[in-house]
Amino acid sequence: MMKAIKTLLVTAVFSLICSNAIAIGMQGTSDVKKSLALTIEHLEKAVAAFDKGEDPKIVVERLMEAKQVQKSFSTANGKLSMIKSRATQKLGQARSSFNEGDTAGGGAAMKEALAGFKEFKEKYDAMH
């Protein structure tokens, strides 16, 4: 009797762990596309603010918004993951540059990040 209860308990716990892992790991294509579009939108706003000569703090706020949104999507495709990784690195580099007072470097890195996320979107859309 105890062995049966133990087996049922282990099975229930394992099922719960697996179902949570699947729910967390499974992102629908539409969710990825929405998050990606929002990331690009925030970056475009940051670039526009930079190009208008707005306060770098405003640009950094937009970059942080983009950085937060981009965390919500991922892909199992190796090539796409590399593109996203490079774009995310450029995003972090842009923020660091702005925070250190290097607006020219920050602007260049931010534009590279935007180009990277746009490339990711183009390739992701072609696959889905």
Side-chain angles (χ1 to χ4, degrees):
M1 179 73 172
M2 286 301 282
K3 188 175 182 177
I5 292 173
K6 198 182 244 186
T7 302
L8 286 173
L9 183 61
V10 168
T11 303
V13 169
F14 184 71
S15 296
L16 180 64
I17 290 170
C18 287
S19 66
N20 283 339
I22 290 171
I24 291 168
M26 298 291 279
Q27 275 182 305
T29 301
S30 65
D31 292 336
V32 172
K33 287 184 177 188
K34 286 178 190 174
S35 295
L36 184 53
L38 192 55
T39 299
I40 290 170
E41 180 182 322
H42 286 303
L43 279 169
E44 286 174 338
K45 287 179 181 178
V47 169
F50 174 75
D51 288 344
K52 289 179 186 175
E54 291 188 24
D55 186 347
K57 290 180 182 178
I58 293 171
V59 176
V60 170
E61 285 177 25
R62 301 260 189 240
L63 291 175
M64 292 306 296
E65 291 168 351
K67 187 153 178 80
Q68 289 303 314
V69 175
Q70 67 82 32
K71 290 179 182 178
S72 68
F73 66 90
S74 63
T75 180
N77 180 295
K79 288 182 181 181
L80 287 178
S81 289
M82 292 288 288
I83 294 168
K84 182 180 185 244
S85 178
R86 281 193 302 268
T88 302
Q89 270 186 313
K90 288 297 180 181
L91 187 56
Q93 183 182 347
R95 190 195 78 214
S96 294
S97 293
F98 277 110
N99 286 337
E100 293 168 1
D102 180 11
T103 56
M110 174 178 56
K111 289 176 182 180
E112 288 179 49
L114 177 58
F117 282 109
K118 284 183 174 182
E119 178 186 1
F120 181 96
K121 181 181 185 324
E122 179 184 309
K123 292 186 180 191
Y124 186 85
D125 287 348
M127 297 171 101
H128 297 93

